[in-house]
Protein backbone atom coordinates (compact mmCIF):
# COMPACT_ATOMS: atom_id res chain seq x y z
CA UNK A 1 0.00 0.00 0.00
CA UNK A 2 1.25 3.45 -0.86
CA UNK A 3 2.42 5.41 2.16
CA UNK A 4 0.75 8.86 2.54
CA UNK A 5 4.23 10.40 2.76
CA UNK A 6 5.26 9.03 -0.68
CA UNK A 7 4.21 10.98 -3.75
CA UNK A 8 2.81 8.81 -6.53
CA UNK A 9 5.04 9.14 -9.60
CA UNK A 10 4.84 8.00 -13.20
CA UNK A 11 8.04 6.03 -13.68
CA UNK A 12 9.63 4.86 -16.94
CA UNK A 13 11.90 1.84 -16.34
CA UNK A 14 14.22 0.78 -19.20
CA UNK A 15 16.41 -2.33 -18.94
CA UNK A 16 17.30 -5.13 -21.38
CA UNK A 17 17.43 -7.83 -18.66
CA UNK A 18 14.11 -9.70 -18.44
CA UNK A 19 14.34 -10.83 -14.78
CA UNK A 20 15.00 -7.25 -13.63
CA UNK A 21 12.04 -5.97 -15.64
CA UNK A 22 9.79 -8.65 -14.12
CA UNK A 23 10.82 -7.63 -10.60
CA UNK A 24 10.32 -3.91 -11.22
CA UNK A 25 6.96 -4.54 -12.88
CA UNK A 26 5.79 -5.79 -9.46
CA UNK A 27 7.85 -3.66 -7.09
CA UNK A 28 7.32 -0.18 -8.54
CA UNK A 29 3.52 -0.39 -8.07
CA UNK A 30 4.11 -1.75 -4.55
CA UNK A 31 6.15 1.37 -3.85
CA UNK A 32 3.08 3.35 -4.89
CA UNK A 33 4.05 4.38 -8.41
CA UNK A 34 2.66 3.95 -11.93
CA UNK A 35 5.23 1.97 -13.93
CA UNK A 36 5.89 1.71 -17.67
CA UNK A 37 8.45 -1.05 -18.34
CA UNK A 38 10.52 -1.06 -21.56
CA UNK A 39 13.04 -3.63 -22.82
CA UNK A 40 15.18 -1.33 -24.99
CA UNK A 41 15.75 2.23 -26.15
CA UNK A 42 13.39 2.01 -29.12
CA UNK A 43 10.39 1.01 -26.98
CA UNK A 44 11.33 3.72 -24.46
CA UNK A 45 11.20 6.38 -27.19
CA UNK A 46 7.76 5.12 -28.26
CA UNK A 47 6.55 5.36 -24.65
CA UNK A 48 7.85 8.92 -24.47
CA UNK A 49 5.86 9.80 -27.59
CA UNK A 50 2.63 8.87 -25.81
CA UNK A 51 3.18 10.00 -22.21
CA UNK A 52 5.18 12.24 -19.92
CA UNK A 53 6.96 10.74 -16.90
CA UNK A 54 8.03 12.12 -13.53
CA UNK A 55 11.10 9.88 -13.38
CA UNK A 56 13.00 7.56 -15.74
CA UNK A 57 15.33 4.78 -14.54
CA UNK A 58 17.56 3.90 -17.50
CA UNK A 59 20.15 1.19 -18.06
CA UNK A 60 23.09 2.59 -20.01
CA UNK A 61 24.20 -0.45 -22.00
CA UNK A 62 21.45 -1.94 -24.16
CA UNK A 63 21.33 -3.36 -27.70
CA UNK A 64 20.32 -0.83 -30.34
CA UNK A 65 19.84 2.62 -28.87
CA UNK A 66 21.99 3.13 -25.77
CA UNK A 67 20.83 4.59 -22.48
CA UNK A 68 22.63 7.82 -23.38
CA UNK A 69 20.47 8.09 -26.52
CA UNK A 70 17.35 7.77 -24.38
CA UNK A 71 18.68 10.39 -21.94
CA UNK A 72 19.31 12.85 -24.78
CA UNK A 73 15.80 12.27 -26.14
CA UNK A 74 14.19 12.83 -22.75
CA UNK A 75 16.06 16.11 -22.36
CA UNK A 76 14.58 17.25 -25.66
CA UNK A 77 10.95 16.17 -25.28
CA UNK A 78 10.43 16.16 -21.49
CA UNK A 79 13.02 18.23 -19.60
CA UNK A 80 10.97 18.01 -16.39
CA UNK A 81 11.50 14.24 -16.16
CA UNK A 82 14.07 13.31 -13.50
CA UNK A 83 16.63 10.86 -14.97
CA UNK A 84 18.16 8.11 -12.85
CA UNK A 85 21.02 6.15 -14.44
CA UNK A 86 21.34 2.45 -13.61
CA UNK A 87 24.19 0.31 -14.93
CA UNK A 88 26.39 -2.61 -13.99
CA UNK A 89 29.31 -0.90 -15.68
CA UNK A 90 29.46 1.94 -13.20
CA UNK A 91 32.49 4.16 -12.91
CA UNK A 92 33.34 7.64 -11.74
CA UNK A 93 33.55 8.80 -15.36
CA UNK A 94 30.06 7.48 -16.13
CA UNK A 95 28.65 9.12 -13.00
CA UNK A 96 30.23 12.47 -13.91
CA UNK A 97 28.92 12.22 -17.46
CA UNK A 98 25.42 11.42 -16.17
CA UNK A 99 25.42 14.48 -13.93
CA UNK A 100 26.69 16.65 -16.77
CA UNK A 101 23.79 15.47 -18.88
CA UNK A 102 21.44 16.57 -16.10
CA UNK A 103 20.73 13.19 -14.47
CA UNK A 104 19.12 13.34 -11.03
CA UNK A 105 21.05 10.37 -9.61
CA UNK A 106 23.32 7.43 -10.50
CA UNK A 107 22.66 3.91 -9.16
CA UNK A 108 25.23 1.15 -9.79
CA UNK A 109 24.00 -2.40 -10.39
CA UNK A 110 23.01 -4.58 -8.67
CA UNK A 111 20.81 -1.96 -7.04
CA UNK A 112 18.70 -2.63 -3.97
CA UNK A 113 14.97 -2.00 -3.99
CA UNK A 114 15.29 0.20 -0.92
CA UNK A 115 17.79 2.37 -2.80
CA UNK A 116 15.39 2.81 -5.72
CA UNK A 117 12.52 3.56 -3.31
CA UNK A 118 14.56 6.23 -1.53
CA UNK A 119 15.65 7.90 -4.78
CA UNK A 120 12.05 8.01 -6.03
CA UNK A 121 10.91 9.39 -2.69
CA UNK A 122 13.37 12.27 -3.06
CA UNK A 123 12.12 12.87 -6.60
CA UNK A 124 8.57 13.08 -5.26
CA UNK A 125 9.59 15.53 -2.55
CA UNK A 126 11.37 17.70 -5.11
CA UNK A 127 8.37 17.75 -7.44
CA UNK A 128 6.03 18.59 -4.56
CA UNK A 129 8.25 21.57 -3.73
CA UNK A 130 8.22 22.68 -7.36
CA UNK A 131 4.41 22.52 -7.38
CA UNK A 132 4.28 24.59 -4.20
CA UNK A 133 6.54 27.19 -5.78
CA UNK A 134 4.38 27.38 -8.91
CA UNK A 135 1.27 27.73 -6.76
CA UNK A 136 2.91 30.49 -4.70
CA UNK A 137 3.83 32.38 -7.87
CA UNK A 138 0.24 31.96 -9.00
CA UNK A 139 -1.00 33.51 -5.77
CA UNK A 140 1.44 36.41 -5.85
CA UNK A 141 0.17 37.44 -9.27
CA UNK A 142 -3.21 38.20 -7.75
CA UNK A 143 -4.09 40.84 -5.20
CA UNK A 144 -4.75 38.68 -2.18
CA UNK A 145 -5.10 40.98 0.80
CA UNK A 146 -5.80 39.56 4.22
CA UNK A 147 -7.47 36.15 4.30
CA UNK A 148 -9.32 37.03 7.51
CA UNK A 149 -13.09 37.15 7.07
CA UNK A 150 -14.29 40.49 8.44
CA UNK A 151 -17.78 40.69 9.88
CA UNK A 152 -19.70 40.06 13.10
CA UNK A 153 -23.27 40.13 11.83
CA UNK A 154 -25.37 36.95 12.23
CA UNK A 155 -25.12 36.38 8.47
CA UNK A 156 -21.31 36.31 8.57
CA UNK A 157 -21.20 34.28 11.77
CA UNK A 158 -23.25 31.64 9.97
CA UNK A 159 -20.72 31.60 7.12
CA UNK A 160 -17.77 31.29 9.54
CA UNK A 161 -19.45 28.45 11.45
CA UNK A 162 -20.09 26.60 8.18
CA UNK A 163 -16.44 26.98 7.14
CA UNK A 164 -15.17 25.61 10.45
CA UNK A 165 -17.30 22.48 10.00
CA UNK A 166 -16.51 21.67 6.37
CA UNK A 167 -12.87 22.79 6.11
CA UNK A 168 -11.34 19.67 7.78
CA UNK A 169 -13.10 17.39 5.26
CA UNK A 170 -12.15 16.65 1.65
CA UNK A 171 -15.71 17.18 0.40
CA UNK A 172 -16.45 19.39 -2.59
CA UNK A 173 -17.76 22.86 -1.74
CA UNK A 174 -19.85 25.24 -3.84
CA UNK A 175 -19.68 28.91 -2.83
CA UNK A 176 -22.61 31.02 -4.01
CA UNK A 177 -22.94 34.78 -3.95
CA UNK A 178 -23.11 37.95 -5.97
CA UNK A 179 -20.07 39.45 -7.68
CA UNK A 180 -17.69 41.02 -5.18
CA UNK A 181 -18.93 39.26 -2.04
CA UNK A 182 -15.58 37.56 -1.40
CA UNK A 183 -16.01 34.03 -2.74
CA UNK A 184 -12.28 33.49 -3.32
CA UNK A 185 -11.54 34.73 0.19
CA UNK A 186 -13.88 32.09 1.57
CA UNK A 187 -12.23 29.42 -0.59
CA UNK A 188 -8.80 30.39 0.79
CA UNK A 189 -10.18 30.31 4.32
CA UNK A 190 -11.50 26.77 3.74
CA UNK A 191 -8.07 25.74 2.45
CA UNK A 192 -6.18 27.35 5.33
CA UNK A 193 -8.38 25.67 7.94
CA UNK A 194 -8.02 22.26 6.26
CA UNK A 195 -5.41 19.53 6.59
CA UNK A 196 -4.09 20.65 3.18
CA UNK A 197 -3.02 24.10 4.38
CA UNK A 198 0.69 23.39 3.80
CA UNK A 199 0.03 22.30 0.21
CA UNK A 200 -0.79 24.46 -2.86
CA UNK A 201 -3.92 26.57 -3.20
CA UNK A 202 -4.47 27.20 -6.92
CA UNK A 203 -7.20 29.59 -8.08
CA UNK A 204 -8.46 29.79 -11.65
CA UNK A 205 -11.14 31.99 -13.19
CA UNK A 206 -13.01 29.67 -15.56
CA UNK A 207 -14.50 32.61 -17.43
CA UNK A 208 -11.10 34.09 -18.25
CA UNK A 209 -9.57 31.00 -19.89
CA UNK A 210 -9.27 30.99 -23.72
CA UNK A 211 -11.74 28.45 -25.07
CA UNK A 212 -9.14 26.64 -27.18
CA UNK A 213 -6.75 26.24 -24.22
CA UNK A 214 -9.11 25.34 -21.37
CA UNK A 215 -8.30 21.62 -21.44
CA UNK A 216 -4.55 22.28 -21.57
CA UNK A 217 -4.81 24.74 -18.66
CA UNK A 218 -6.63 22.19 -16.52
CA UNK A 219 -4.85 18.98 -17.47
CA UNK A 220 -1.56 20.09 -19.07
CA UNK A 221 -0.12 18.87 -22.35
CA UNK A 222 2.85 17.03 -23.75
CA UNK A 223 5.29 18.67 -26.14
CA UNK A 224 3.91 18.80 -29.67
CA UNK A 225 0.35 17.96 -28.60
CA UNK A 226 -0.96 20.87 -30.66
CA UNK A 227 0.33 23.89 -32.58
CA UNK A 228 2.24 26.11 -30.19
CA UNK A 229 2.89 23.38 -27.62
CA UNK A 230 6.65 23.80 -27.84
CA UNK A 231 7.30 22.52 -24.33
CA UNK A 232 5.44 20.13 -22.01
CA UNK A 233 3.28 21.84 -19.42
CA UNK A 234 1.71 20.84 -16.13
CA UNK A 235 -2.01 21.41 -15.75
CA UNK A 236 -3.63 23.13 -12.79
CA UNK A 237 -4.82 19.81 -11.36
CA UNK A 238 -1.23 18.56 -11.29
CA UNK A 239 0.12 21.79 -9.79
CA UNK A 240 -2.54 21.63 -7.05
CA UNK A 241 -1.72 17.99 -6.22
CA UNK A 242 -2.11 17.48 -2.46
CA UNK A 243 -3.86 20.83 -2.07
CA UNK A 244 -6.97 22.70 -3.21
CA UNK A 245 -8.08 23.81 -6.68
CA UNK A 246 -10.51 26.74 -6.63
CA UNK A 247 -12.68 27.00 -9.75
CA UNK A 248 -14.20 30.48 -9.82
CA UNK A 249 -17.07 31.29 -12.20
CA UNK A 250 -17.85 27.59 -12.61
CA UNK A 251 -20.97 28.39 -14.64
CA UNK A 252 -18.79 29.65 -17.51
CA UNK A 253 -17.40 26.17 -18.31
CA UNK A 254 -18.70 24.75 -21.59
CA UNK A 255 -20.41 21.35 -21.69
CA UNK A 256 -17.28 19.59 -22.97
CA UNK A 257 -15.19 20.71 -19.98
CA UNK A 258 -18.07 19.98 -17.63
CA UNK A 259 -17.84 16.34 -18.74
CA UNK A 260 -14.08 16.23 -18.14
CA UNK A 261 -14.43 17.86 -14.71
CA UNK A 262 -17.10 15.34 -13.77
CA UNK A 263 -14.84 12.50 -14.88
CA UNK A 264 -12.06 13.79 -12.63
CA UNK A 265 -14.39 14.13 -9.64
CA UNK A 266 -15.47 10.52 -10.13
CA UNK A 267 -12.02 8.99 -10.71
CA UNK A 268 -9.40 11.41 -9.39
CA UNK A 269 -7.46 10.86 -12.63
CA UNK A 270 -6.23 13.37 -15.19
CA UNK A 271 -4.65 12.92 -18.59
CA UNK A 272 -2.47 15.47 -20.31
CA UNK A 273 -3.48 16.58 -23.79
CA UNK A 274 -1.65 14.38 -26.27
CA UNK A 275 -1.03 11.53 -23.83
CA UNK A 276 -2.72 8.14 -23.66
CA UNK A 277 -2.30 7.21 -20.01
CA UNK A 278 -4.08 8.88 -17.11
CA UNK A 279 -2.52 9.43 -13.69
CA UNK A 280 -3.97 10.06 -10.26
CA UNK A 281 -3.78 13.33 -8.34
CA UNK A 282 -5.09 14.17 -4.87
CA UNK A 283 -6.92 17.49 -5.19
CA UNK A 284 -9.83 19.00 -3.30
CA UNK A 285 -12.23 20.95 -5.50
CA UNK A 286 -13.87 24.16 -4.28
CA UNK A 287 -16.10 25.97 -6.79
CA UNK A 288 -17.84 29.33 -6.88
CA UNK A 289 -20.35 31.09 -9.08
CA UNK A 290 -22.66 34.10 -9.11
CA UNK A 291 -24.96 32.37 -11.57
CA UNK A 292 -28.08 30.33 -10.82
CA UNK A 293 -26.89 26.80 -11.58
CA UNK A 294 -30.32 25.25 -10.94
CA UNK A 295 -31.79 27.43 -13.69
CA UNK A 296 -28.86 26.55 -15.97
CA UNK A 297 -29.56 22.85 -15.35
CA UNK A 298 -33.22 23.33 -16.29
CA UNK A 299 -32.21 25.25 -19.42
CA UNK A 300 -29.72 22.54 -20.43
CA UNK A 301 -26.61 24.72 -20.01
CA UNK A 302 -25.16 22.90 -16.99
CA UNK A 303 -24.96 19.19 -16.29
CA UNK A 304 -27.19 18.05 -13.44
CA UNK A 305 -24.80 15.25 -12.39
CA UNK A 306 -21.91 17.75 -12.14
CA UNK A 307 -24.10 20.13 -10.14
CA UNK A 308 -24.73 17.43 -7.54
CA UNK A 309 -21.03 16.51 -7.50
CA UNK A 310 -19.68 19.98 -6.79
CA UNK A 311 -22.15 21.04 -4.09
CA UNK A 312 -21.75 18.43 -1.39
CA UNK A 313 -21.73 21.54 0.79
CA UNK A 314 -23.04 24.97 -0.15
CA UNK A 315 -21.77 28.21 1.37
CA UNK A 316 -24.05 31.12 0.52
CA UNK A 317 -22.41 34.52 0.96
CA UNK A 318 -24.74 37.39 1.88
CA UNK A 319 -24.59 40.59 -0.13
CA UNK A 320 -23.22 43.70 1.57
CA UNK A 321 -26.77 45.07 1.53
CA UNK A 322 -27.79 42.16 3.74
CA UNK A 323 -25.07 42.85 6.33
CA UNK A 324 -24.81 46.61 6.52
CA UNK A 325 -23.80 46.28 10.16
CA UNK A 326 -20.40 44.99 8.95
CA UNK A 327 -19.66 48.10 6.84
CA UNK A 328 -17.81 50.01 9.62
CA UNK A 329 -15.59 46.98 10.35
CA UNK A 330 -14.94 46.36 6.66
CA UNK A 331 -14.20 50.01 5.97
CA UNK A 332 -11.66 50.23 8.80
CA UNK A 333 -10.03 46.96 7.68
CA UNK A 334 -9.74 48.23 4.10
CA UNK A 335 -8.28 51.57 5.22
CA UNK A 336 -5.61 49.65 7.17
CA UNK A 337 -4.81 47.62 4.08
CA UNK A 338 -4.41 50.62 1.78
CA UNK A 339 -2.40 52.61 4.34
CA UNK A 340 -0.40 49.48 5.25
CA UNK A 341 -0.97 50.08 8.94
CA UNK A 342 -1.82 47.63 11.70
CA UNK A 343 -4.13 50.16 13.36
CA UNK A 344 -5.85 53.47 12.64
CA UNK A 345 -7.50 56.04 14.96
CA UNK A 346 -11.23 55.79 15.57
CA UNK A 347 -11.66 59.18 13.90
CA UNK A 348 -10.09 57.99 10.62
CA UNK A 349 -13.55 57.66 9.04
CA UNK A 350 -15.99 60.41 9.94
CA UNK A 351 -19.48 59.42 11.20
CA UNK A 352 -21.00 61.22 8.20
CA UNK A 353 -18.89 59.19 5.77
CA UNK A 354 -19.87 55.97 7.54
CA UNK A 355 -23.55 56.90 7.34
CA UNK A 356 -23.16 57.58 3.62
CA UNK A 357 -21.55 54.16 3.13
CA UNK A 358 -24.21 52.40 5.19
CA UNK A 359 -26.97 54.02 3.11
CA UNK A 360 -25.42 53.08 -0.25
CA UNK A 361 -26.85 50.11 -2.21
CA UNK A 362 -23.43 48.47 -2.98
CA UNK A 363 -24.41 46.44 -6.03
CA UNK A 364 -20.69 45.58 -6.36
CA UNK A 365 -20.56 44.47 -2.71
CA UNK A 366 -17.23 44.33 -0.87
CA UNK A 367 -15.25 44.82 -4.09
CA UNK A 368 -17.11 48.08 -4.73
CA UNK A 369 -16.56 49.13 -1.10
CA UNK A 370 -12.83 48.42 -1.48
CA UNK A 371 -12.69 50.65 -4.57
CA UNK A 372 -14.56 53.41 -2.72
CA UNK A 373 -12.18 53.20 0.26
CA UNK A 374 -9.11 53.33 -2.00
CA UNK A 375 -10.60 56.39 -3.73
CA UNK A 376 -11.28 58.05 -0.36
CA UNK A 377 -7.87 57.30 1.17
CA UNK A 378 -6.14 58.92 -1.81
CA UNK A 379 -8.33 62.04 -1.82
CA UNK A 380 -8.09 62.48 1.96
CA UNK A 381 -4.30 62.29 1.83
CA UNK A 382 -4.33 59.63 4.51
CA UNK A 383 -6.28 61.87 6.90
CA UNK A 384 -9.86 61.67 8.15
CA UNK A 385 -12.23 60.46 5.42
CA UNK A 386 -15.15 62.85 4.94
CA UNK A 387 -18.24 62.42 2.73
CA UNK A 388 -16.67 64.62 0.04
CA UNK A 389 -13.81 62.14 -0.26
CA UNK A 390 -16.19 59.32 -1.21
CA UNK A 391 -16.97 58.60 -4.88
CA UNK A 392 -19.97 60.55 -6.17
CA UNK A 393 -21.68 57.25 -6.95
CA UNK A 394 -21.86 56.73 -3.17
CA UNK A 395 -22.76 60.22 -1.97
CA UNK A 396 -25.27 60.94 -4.74
CA UNK A 397 -27.48 58.24 -3.36
CA UNK A 398 -27.78 59.83 0.06
CA UNK A 399 -27.45 63.59 -0.52
CA UNK A 400 -29.21 66.12 -2.74
CA UNK A 401 -27.67 69.50 -3.63
CA UNK A 402 -29.79 72.32 -2.11
CA UNK A 403 -30.32 75.61 -4.02
CA UNK A 404 -28.38 78.63 -2.73
CA UNK A 405 -31.51 80.86 -2.78
CA UNK A 406 -35.00 79.93 -1.56
CA UNK A 407 -37.44 79.25 -4.35
CA UNK A 408 -40.85 80.94 -4.18
CA UNK A 409 -43.53 78.34 -3.67
CA UNK A 410 -46.62 78.53 -5.91
CA UNK A 411 -50.03 78.89 -4.38
CA UNK A 412 -51.51 75.53 -3.42
CA UNK A 413 -53.91 74.06 -5.94
CA UNK A 414 -56.57 71.62 -4.94
CA UNK A 415 -56.05 68.40 -6.84
CA UNK A 416 -57.27 64.88 -6.41
CA UNK A 417 -54.64 62.77 -4.68
CA UNK A 418 -54.33 59.38 -6.36
CA UNK A 419 -53.95 56.29 -4.29
CA UNK A 420 -50.23 55.43 -3.91
CA UNK A 421 -49.22 52.62 -6.19
CA UNK A 422 -47.54 49.63 -4.70
CA UNK A 423 -43.81 49.84 -5.44
CA UNK A 424 -42.63 47.11 -7.79
CA UNK A 425 -40.16 44.76 -6.12
CA UNK A 426 -37.38 43.98 -8.55
CA UNK A 427 -35.73 40.60 -8.71
CA UNK A 428 -31.99 40.18 -8.27
CA UNK A 429 -31.66 39.42 -11.98
CA UNK A 430 -33.45 42.64 -12.90
CA UNK A 431 -31.17 44.67 -10.64
CA UNK A 432 -28.11 42.91 -12.10
CA UNK A 433 -29.31 43.63 -15.65
CA UNK A 434 -29.87 47.32 -14.89
CA UNK A 435 -26.41 47.66 -13.35
CA UNK A 436 -24.68 45.96 -16.30
CA UNK A 437 -26.55 47.90 -19.00
CA UNK A 438 -26.03 51.18 -17.12
CA UNK A 439 -22.28 50.51 -16.84
CA UNK A 440 -22.10 49.61 -20.54
CA UNK A 441 -23.85 52.86 -21.50
CA UNK A 442 -21.61 54.86 -19.16
CA UNK A 443 -18.55 53.35 -20.87
CA UNK A 444 -20.02 54.10 -24.32
CA UNK A 445 -20.21 50.44 -25.28
CA UNK A 446 -16.59 49.66 -24.29
CA UNK A 447 -17.06 46.06 -23.11
CA UNK A 448 -13.52 45.41 -21.72
CA UNK A 449 -13.72 48.62 -19.67
CA UNK A 450 -17.23 47.71 -18.50
CA UNK A 451 -16.07 44.25 -17.39
CA UNK A 452 -13.18 45.79 -15.44
CA UNK A 453 -15.47 48.31 -13.76
CA UNK A 454 -17.94 45.62 -12.74
CA UNK A 455 -15.19 43.25 -11.61
CA UNK A 456 -16.34 40.38 -13.83
CA UNK A 457 -14.70 38.38 -16.63
CA UNK A 458 -15.15 39.70 -20.16
CA UNK A 459 -16.54 36.32 -21.19
CA UNK A 460 -19.16 36.60 -18.42
CA UNK A 461 -20.17 40.04 -19.67
CA UNK A 462 -20.58 38.76 -23.26
CA UNK A 463 -22.71 35.83 -22.03
CA UNK A 464 -25.03 38.14 -20.11
CA UNK A 465 -25.31 40.63 -22.99
CA UNK A 466 -26.21 37.76 -25.32
CA UNK A 467 -28.97 36.78 -22.89
CA UNK A 468 -30.29 40.36 -22.81
CA UNK A 469 -30.25 40.59 -26.63
CA UNK A 470 -32.20 37.34 -26.81
CA UNK A 471 -34.78 38.99 -24.54
CA UNK A 472 -35.11 41.90 -27.00
CA UNK A 473 -32.84 44.50 -25.40
CA UNK A 474 -30.75 46.79 -27.59
CA UNK A 475 -27.10 46.59 -26.56
CA UNK A 476 -24.74 49.55 -26.97
CA UNK A 477 -21.41 49.08 -28.78
Amino acid sequence: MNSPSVAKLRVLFVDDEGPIRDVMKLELPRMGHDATICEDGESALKALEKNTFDAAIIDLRMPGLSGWDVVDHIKQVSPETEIIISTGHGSMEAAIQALRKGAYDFIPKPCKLVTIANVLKRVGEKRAMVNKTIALENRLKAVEGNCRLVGDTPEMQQVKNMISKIAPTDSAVLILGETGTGKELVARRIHEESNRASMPFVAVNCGALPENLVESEFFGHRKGAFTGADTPRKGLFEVANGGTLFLDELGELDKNMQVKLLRFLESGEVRRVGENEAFHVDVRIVCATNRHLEDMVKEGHFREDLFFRVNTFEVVLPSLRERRGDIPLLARSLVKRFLKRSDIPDTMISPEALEAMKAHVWTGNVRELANAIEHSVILSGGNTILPEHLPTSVTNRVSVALPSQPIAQPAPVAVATPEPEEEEVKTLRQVEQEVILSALERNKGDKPQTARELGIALKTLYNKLNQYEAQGHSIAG
Side-chain angles (χ1 to χ4, degrees):
M1 183 178 293
N2 187 20
S3 169
S5 61
V6 177
K8 187 171 187 177
L9 304 176
R10 288 168 293 162
V11 180
L12 173 66
F13 186 85
V14 189
D15 198 297
D16 63 331
E17 296 185 41
I20 295 179
R21 293 198 304 273
D22 292 340
V23 170
M24 299 310 298
K25 189 178 298 183
L26 295 174
E27 294 299 330
L28 284 172
R30 287 179 183 174
M31 295 176 191
H33 307 297
D34 291 329
T36 297
I37 310 297
C38 296
E39 61 183 1
D40 53 33
E42 285 81 0
S43 58
L45 264 55
K46 291 180 180 178
L48 287 162
E49 290 176 358
K50 299 178 180 178
N51 297 290
T52 305
F53 298 92
D54 299 308
I57 303 174
I58 304 169
D59 184 21
L60 284 184
R61 294 198 176 184
M62 296 181 291
L65 289 177
S66 70
W68 295 123
D69 295 326
V70 177
V71 169
D72 291 338
H73 186 74
I74 290 176
K75 285 301 174 183
Q76 290 180 0
V77 301
S78 182
E80 293 181 348
T81 300
E82 301 292 354
I83 297 171
I84 302 160
I85 299 299
S86 171
T87 180
H89 307 276
S91 66
M92 183 61 68
E93 290 77 13
I96 293 174
Q97 186 178 357
L99 295 176
R100 285 176 176 172
K101 283 183 173 287
Y104 179 78
D105 210 337
F106 183 94
I107 303 176
K109 286 185 176 181
C111 48
K112 298 179 180 179
L113 291 175
V114 66
T115 302
I116 295 177
N118 288 335
V119 171
L120 292 177
K121 181 180 179 181
R122 293 201 307 273
V123 170
E125 291 170 349
K126 176 183 176 181
R127 297 186 78 79
M129 187 59 65
V130 170
N131 287 348
K132 287 183 182 180
T133 302
I134 295 174
L136 180 59
E137 291 174 350
N138 192 353
R139 292 180 62 177
L140 290 176
K141 290 178 181 177
V143 179
E144 290 188 278
N146 195 336
C147 201
R148 184 172 62 92
L149 295 177
V150 178
D152 292 328
T153 56
E155 293 82 3
M156 282 306 294
Q157 289 298 337
Q158 185 175 357
V159 170
K160 292 177 182 179
N161 291 338
M162 186 68 168
I163 290 174
S164 65
K165 291 178 181 178
I166 65 178
T169 73
D170 280 336
S171 299
V173 180
L174 179 62
I175 305 171
L176 303 174
E178 296 179 15
T179 296
T181 48
K183 296 186 285 294
E184 182 172 344
L185 195 65
V186 170
R188 292 185 186 278
R189 189 71 250 161
I190 291 172
H191 174 74
E192 292 180 4
E193 291 189 20
S194 73
N195 298 327
R196 300 171 177 265
S198 63
M199 300 303 286
F201 175 90
V202 178
V204 56
N205 185 330
C206 298
L209 295 175
E211 290 187 12
N212 60 328
L213 295 177
V214 173
E215 186 174 2
S216 172
E217 289 287 337
F218 276 114
F219 303 114
H221 62 254
R222 65 178 296 274
K223 181 179 178 180
F226 51 85
T227 303
D230 299 326
T231 59
R233 179 175 180 175
K234 290 184 178 181
L236 296 172
F237 282 96
E238 195 172 354
V239 171
N241 193 19
T244 303
L245 180 61
F246 173 55
L247 303 179
D248 198 5
E249 296 198 38
L250 178 69
E252 305 303 326
L253 281 184
D254 63 27
K255 296 292 283 290
N256 181 50
M257 279 307 302
Q258 290 177 29
V259 172
K260 289 178 167 52
L261 177 58
L262 177 64
R263 186 179 301 129
F264 168 77
L265 290 171
E266 292 175 340
S267 67
E269 291 185 339
V270 299
R271 185 173 62 203
R272 287 182 175 181
V273 177
E275 294 189 357
N276 293 332
E277 295 184 10
F279 56 95
H280 187 273
V281 294
D282 175 23
V283 175
R284 182 183 192 175
I285 299 295
V286 177
C287 302
T289 183
N290 61 356
R291 303 187 67 176
H292 304 274
L293 293 186
E294 293 98 329
D295 291 347
M296 292 182 66
V297 170
K298 294 176 183 177
E299 296 165 359
H301 299 310
F302 198 85
R303 293 183 62 95
E304 184 177 35
D305 45 7
L306 178 58
F307 173 71
F308 290 127
R309 274 283 184 177
V310 298
N311 74 336
T312 304
F313 289 102
E314 279 188 2
V315 178
V316 182
L317 289 184
S319 67
L320 194 53
R321 303 180 298 281
E322 297 171 298
R323 56 181 188 114
R324 294 180 186 273
D326 286 331
I327 288 178
L329 282 175
L330 283 164
R332 287 179 59 83
S333 175
L334 291 166
V335 169
K336 292 177 187 177
R337 181 200 297 182
F338 290 121
L339 291 178
K340 298 181 180 179
R341 298 181 190 171
S342 59
D343 198 11
I344 58 173
D346 293 337
T347 58
M348 189 73 198
I349 307 176
S350 71
E352 296 80 8
L354 276 177
E355 286 303 315
M357 286 187 278
K358 289 170 71 174
H360 185 52
V361 177
W362 299 115
T363 53
N365 294 293
V366 180
R367 184 180 292 124
E368 184 186 357
L369 176 62
N371 292 338
I373 292 296
E374 182 179 10
H375 179 279
S376 304
V377 168
I378 293 172
L379 290 188
S380 69
N383 298 311
T384 300
I385 295 175
L386 302 173
E388 54 262 34
H389 298 138
L390 293 168
T392 56
S393 61
V394 176
T395 55
N396 283 347
R397 293 178 180 267
V398 296
S399 63
V400 178
L402 298 176
S404 57
Q405 298 293 332
I407 300 175
Q409 299 296 321
V413 179
V415 294
T417 304
E419 291 294 327
E421 295 182 1
E422 184 177 349
E423 183 179 357
E424 180 185 359
V425 178
K426 296 181 179 179
T427 66
L428 179 59
R429 286 189 175 183
Q430 289 172 323
V431 172
E432 178 189 70
Q433 179 175 314
E434 289 181 3
V435 170
I436 290 176
L437 294 180
S438 175
L440 185 65
E441 182 178 358
R442 186 166 57 253
N443 288 293
K444 299 180 180 179
D446 187 333
K447 296 181 178 62
Q449 176 60 31
T450 301
R452 285 193 293 272
E453 179 181 316
L454 295 172
I456 62 176
L458 182 59
K459 181 178 178 181
T460 301
L461 177 62
Y462 274 109
N463 287 339
K464 292 188 179 297
L465 294 179
N466 289 336
Q467 293 174 14
Y468 302 156
E469 284 186 330
Q471 296 167 4
H473 294 278
S474 177
I475 305 301

